[in-house]
Amino acid sequence: MNLKAVFWGLIILGLLVVIALPTVMLIGFGMLPGIVAWIIDRTEEKYATFCVGGLNFCGVFPYLMELWTKDHSMQQATSMLTSAFSLAAMYGGAGLGWTLYLTLPPIISSFIQVMSQRRLAQLRQIQKNIIEEWGDEVAADAEFGTDELKGPGMKNAA
């Protein structure tokens, strides 16, 4: 990470703490699961961070809007952060994000595998129809990988 970016990030965070401490407190405490996902996600794409952080923010956002539209005070922010229902909504969103992140890839890969097997069966049926129409000589070269199918200079290639 660039030292200049870290410096400016700290300056902006410092100003936000002075100007909008209740907002910083609510976001900082409410977004802890998203921050943890960002720290432990070692992939370059940061899929876990986006999935968990996005749904975590969806849980924090209604309380953030309530804080901004009603009483932007430390007492209101503390009240929100000590409410079991608000914490359940904030962290429940993150839990749903982890659930999606962990369950969807195997489901999608299984679906793709089934689609590939179905396509393979269709191609084998087409191949069978071609063999019936053109004869066994068409399949003999393709099945055994004889040198007649290879181009010039490819006979010794593995």
Side-chain angles (χ1 to χ4, degrees):
M1 201 177 208
N2 189 354
L3 187 60
K4 190 175 182 181
V6 171
F7 173 74
W8 282 109
L10 289 174
I11 294 292
I12 291 171
L13 182 64
L15 288 173
L16 282 175
V17 166
V18 171
I19 296 171
L21 182 59
T23 299
V24 172
M25 190 171 81
L26 183 69
I27 291 174
F29 193 71
M31 291 294 294
L32 278 176
I35 295 168
V36 169
W38 176 68
I39 291 170
I40 66 170
D41 190 5
R42 302 280 182 186
T43 63
E44 187 176 328
E45 297 84 12
K46 298 287 187 189
Y47 292 133
T49 303
F50 287 117
C51 195
V52 174
L55 287 173
N56 186 199
F57 186 72
C58 288
V60 172
F61 189 71
Y63 299 99
L64 193 59
M65 291 305 297
E66 184 180 339
L67 183 69
W68 287 346
T69 57
K70 291 187 179 174
D71 181 25
H72 192 259
S73 67
M74 286 297 292
Q75 182 181 5
Q76 181 70 16
T78 305
S79 171
M80 288 178 184
L81 290 174
T82 56
S83 168
F85 183 75
S86 64
L87 285 178
M90 292 177 196
Y91 293 164
L96 183 61
W98 277 116
T99 303
L100 289 175
Y101 175 73
L102 295 173
T103 58
L104 279 184
I107 291 170
I108 291 172
S109 66
S110 297
F111 181 71
I112 290 173
Q113 184 178 7
V114 167
M115 286 178 41
S116 298
Q117 289 173 351
R118 184 169 183 263
R119 178 69 177 147
L120 182 62
Q122 288 175 341
L123 290 174
R124 290 202 191 273
Q125 183 61 41
I126 292 171
Q127 182 183 29
K128 184 179 174 185
N129 294 342
I130 291 173
I131 290 171
E132 287 175 4
E133 184 177 335
W134 288 83
D136 289 332
E137 297 83 26
V138 176
D141 291 339
E143 286 179 6
F144 299 113
T146 59
D147 290 336
E148 287 82 27
L149 293 177
K150 296 179 182 175
M154 298 295 292
K155 292 187 181 213
N156 295 329

